[in-house]
Each structure stands twice: as C-alpha cells, then as structure tokens.
Amino acid sequence: MEKQYRAAVVGLTGIGARRPPAGSGGLRRPMGRSHVSCYVEHPRTEMAAVCDLREEALDEFRETWPDLPEVAIHTDFGELLAKERPDIVSVVTGDHVHADLTVAAAESGARAVFCEKPIATTLEDADRMIAACERNGVLLSVDHTRRWAPAFWEAQRMVASGALGAVRTLSVEHYGPRAMMFRNGTHLIDLLCFFSGAEPRWVTAKLEPGFDHFDRYRGDGGKDPAQDPYASALIGFQDDIRATYNAYKTEFNAGILTVTCDRGRLEFHNEYGRLLTSSSDGGRREVRSAALHPGDYRYAHQLGAIDELVGALDDGGPLVSPGTDARWTLEILLGVLASQRNGHNRVDLPLPRTGA
Ligand SMILES: NC(=O)c1ccc[n+]([C@@H]2O[C@H](COP(=O)([O-])OP(=O)(O)OC[C@H]3O[C@@H](n4cnc5c(N)ncnc54)[C@H](O)[C@@H]3O)[C@@H](O)[C@H]2O)c1
C-alpha cells in the first residue's frame, strides 16, 4: 500500500477545520473547504493531530468531526510536533503567528508545511520561514488558493510557455464589502506575481482614506473590514512589466484579472476567463474560452495544493506556490504601505530590511 502521510493542522477556525455540507464534493465546488476536510478527503493523507490554544476551538472540532476520534488533540504545538511526528503540517493561525509555527514544524522532522496566506507580516519572518524550510529540506507551500484553480493554472501555463508572447501589462480589480488588502487582496496581488513570473521592482500606491495610521500590518486575522484598507497600486516588475491593483469596498463582489501579452490577452472574471487573440488575416479578434475551463483535474484549490504536496513528497518537483513567491506578494503589500507613508511616491523593491 502507498504511504499515508500524517497531517496536522494548527489553528481550528473555519478555514482550518470547517466541515463542508454533505453532497458538496467535486472539483468545481466553491472555495470554503478547510484544511482538515482536505486531508480527510485526500486518499494519501490521514488526519493525525490538531492544535489550537482555545479550548472552545477544540470542543468545536470534536463536535464537528465525531467520526475522527483517533485524531490527537493538543493545545501546545511543540508538544504536538514531539508526540505525533506529522509529515505535513498546515499552519492556519493569524498571519503574525505563521513564522514561529512554520519554523518549529520545519525543525521538528516534518517534511512539508502548508501555510495560510499572506506568508507572514514582515519580510524578516518570511525569510526565517523560507530559511528554516530550506535548511531542513522541508517543502513550503503557501495557500494563495487561486494558484490551484484549474482555469488560472491552465492559463498561467499557457502564458509561461510563451504561446502568447511576452507579458506586457496586468491588472486586477477587487470589489466587495471585504475588499481588504491584506485579508483578500493578497490573493489578487499574488495572481500578478503568478502570471508575470517576474520579480517586483517598485510600487506606487494609495490606501483607503482614513488609514494614514496603517503603517504596519499586525496580522490580526482580518475579520473586520474597518481594520484593513482597500488600496490602489501601480506595480513595476522586472522587464518593464507593469501591473495595477485597484480595490474598493463596494456591495458588488468581483475579482477581475487581465493579462496582456504581445499576441493575446486573457480576461478573467473570478475564475471564468476568455482569451482574445489577433487572427492572422487582419485585425479581427477571435475569442476562445474552452481552453480556460479544463475538465480533467482531479483536485482544485486547497485539495489541489495538498495533492501537489503529496506528489512532491513522493517524487520531488517544483511547487505551484512556494514560499519564495509568497514573499514577493508580501513585499508588494508592504511596499504599498511604504508608498502611502512616502506621500504615494514610488518605493523601490526590495524594501530595506528593518531588522525587526
Ligand atoms: N486561503 C483562504 O482563502 C483563507 C480564507 C480565510 C482565512 N485564511 C487565512 O487563514 C488564517 C487563519 O485565519 P482566521 O481568520 O481563522 O484567524 P484567527 O486568528 O481568527 O484564528 C486562528 C486560530 O488559530 C489559533 N491559534 C493562534 N495562535 C496559535 C498557536 N500558537 N497555537 C495554536 N493555535 C493558535 C487561534 O486560537 C484561532 O482559533 C489566516 O492566515 C488567514 O489569512 C485564508
């Protein structure tokens, strides 16, 4: 029998441990599944242990998952690592705690960490995480979930193959009552990094009015839209690739991505996309969308991320959302704050290290 990887989840709120409603399985189900449910569902992983500081969270876990009586329950993460020896650890706590828990997992003998986004609240923390994982030969995957959405994944492969020519400009627009830069905007800014495949070089930005005091991200979990601003930013990547991020807290919900290349343009509304290209006999545009709705994926979103980790643990291979890419996204988020502090002027990346 193939090896079963033992999984542990630390942080048991909804995204950590919610149980999807019965009958909601299948590739196309909307986001909203949890780390625990994905480990339960994946045939090569077994839930070995969970951890949360709060007894209420542990009680809720027992009530939600009465069919998992064998899962070890801990309040002390260090104790969990020492006693349960998980192979894969999901870090699903508030963002300011990701670093300490990821480093502890990497040094415990675990072989992979699947960490929630954004990777951390400071670049110093992100660097500690990446270094600890590299030092210990541990895979580090960050849950910028859209990277495992089949349509985005397929489209990114098309762009990276060069089939559309060089990437020139990108844009994301982010609307909704919860269009908060750190909580949700991180997913969309990450798409800019994913599709450009390039290092960010500078940022010019403006935050939501009333957020001049917001000079540092504290990683408080982002529950309250009043505590996390919307923003607009112009972002320069290497090779003069230019991108815009534009968000506003509206009643209307949308996430829109465009990627314009020399020979074509991708347009996505949420995860539904189309490709515009020039025909060979003139300026007429043709639209193809079928290729952007691939049907042969076994798993998507977090389950896709876990499937990818299982494959990489078995056979090696690159990850779709490694810690190093998530660090680029964090650098842009922090660059937005730095530009706001500078009167919306251009801020060059990499940012100077604070030593904090
Ligand atoms: N990928 C997605 O679509 C998505 C969606 C929602 C949230 N998230 C991310 O998930 C993470 C959790 O978000 P949240 O809003 O549930 O956070 P939260 O702060 O509300 O809850 C995190 C849980 O972690 C526990 N915890 C904190 N420190 C701990 C420690 N040292 N040991 C054990 N348990 C500890 C807390 O008690 C709490 O139950 C964040 O990084 C967030 O950005 C991602």
Side-chain angles (χ1 to χ4, degrees):
M1 187 179 144
E2 282 187 300
K3 180 168 171 46
Q4 292 295 311
Y5 291 109
R6 289 167 55 74
V9 175
V10 54
L12 298 179
T13 47
I15 182 73
R18 96 167 49 86
R19 187 171 195 131
S24 64
L27 171 66
R28 299 269 174 227
R29 68 186 172 187
M31 287 172 57
R33 65 198 63 70
S34 68
H35 289 246
V36 168
S37 69
C38 291
Y39 289 120
V40 168
E41 191 167 336
H42 197 283
R44 297 285 312 288
T45 58
E46 65 178 274
M47 267 312 301
V50 293
C51 178
D52 201 291
L53 296 173
R54 296 180 301 114
E55 286 294 346
E56 314 89 84
L58 300 176
D59 288 343
E60 199 176 331
F61 176 82
R62 291 184 187 94
E63 279 163 32
T64 308
W65 296 97
D67 44 342
L68 296 180
E70 69 286 1
V71 171
I73 293 183
H74 291 266
T75 50
D76 183 317
F77 185 56
E79 213 171 276
L80 178 154
L81 292 173
K83 281 198 182 152
E84 317 300 342
R85 317 296 300 171
D87 300 300
I88 307 178
V89 175
S90 271
V91 174
V92 198
T93 61
D95 308 330
H96 58 303
V97 198
H98 292 174
D100 286 348
L101 300 180
T102 296
V103 170
E107 288 175 349
S108 74
R111 299 179 56 201
V113 174
F114 183 31
C115 179
E116 266 307 333
K117 55 73 202 164
I119 182 170
T121 55
T122 67
L123 294 172
E124 288 74 10
D125 273 354
D127 287 342
R128 284 201 291 135
M129 298 162 74
I130 293 166
C133 288
E134 277 175 7
R135 205 167 47 242
N136 292 284
V138 173
L139 300 173
L140 174 58
S141 178
V142 177
D143 188 15
H144 280 121
T145 321
R146 284 159 183 75
R147 289 194 181 214
W148 296 278
F152 287 137
W153 202 78
E154 200 65 39
Q156 191 272 348
R157 284 208 308 184
M158 185 191 301
V159 171
S161 75
L164 301 179
V167 179
R168 299 302 184 191
T169 67
L170 307 101
S171 68
V172 282
E173 292 175 70
H174 180 202
Y175 301 113
R178 294 177 59 75
M180 305 143 77
M181 183 173 70
F182 280 92
R183 180 65 171 197
N184 311 312
T186 177
H187 283 298
L188 294 162
I189 288 174
D190 181 67
L191 285 179
L192 298 176
C193 297
F194 189 38
F195 277 90
S196 70
E199 232 174 283
R201 290 282 161 82
W202 52 266
V203 181
T204 306
K206 183 173 184 322
L207 292 183
E208 178 176 351
F211 277 87
D212 284 339
H213 63 284
F214 197 94
D215 60 350
R216 178 174 159 228
Y217 176 54
R218 289 177 172 74
D220 54 3
K223 297 270 191 298
D224 180 3
Q227 305 301 319
D228 185 349
Y230 65 74
S232 297
L234 179 62
I235 303 152
F237 289 87
Q238 70 194 67
D239 301 327
D240 200 31
I241 298 171
R242 294 144 193 240
T244 55
Y245 169 72
N246 216 0
Y248 211 98
K249 290 173 187 159
T250 54
E251 280 175 46
F252 166 72
N253 264 299
I256 299 162
L257 165 74
T258 68
V259 182
T260 305
C261 306
D262 272 338
R263 292 194 293 278
R265 173 181 165 93
L266 289 155
E267 297 179 350
F268 283 92
H269 195 286
N270 296 334
E271 288 175 21
Y272 294 93
R274 64 179 185 161
L275 169 66
L276 304 174
T277 56
S278 302
S279 63
S280 53
D281 60 349
R284 192 168 56 81
R285 316 292 289 175
E286 60 181 50
V287 176
R288 286 196 287 129
S289 57
L292 301 176
H293 301 278
D296 58 349
Y297 282 76
R298 271 192 315 168
Y299 302 119
H301 303 117
Q302 282 116 348
L303 195 51
I306 287 167
D307 190 55
E308 180 192 58
L309 281 176
V310 166
L313 287 175
D314 283 350
D315 304 320
L319 298 176
V320 161
S321 183
T324 43
D325 280 21
R327 188 192 186 284
W328 283 353
T329 299
L330 177 63
E331 185 141 47
I332 293 170
L333 294 169
L334 298 178
V336 168
L337 299 189
S339 175
Q340 173 79 12
R341 277 198 302 276
N342 276 356
H344 320 299
N345 284 316
R346 167 180 162 145
V347 167
D348 286 323
L349 306 178
L351 293 169
R353 306 288 299 270
T354 62

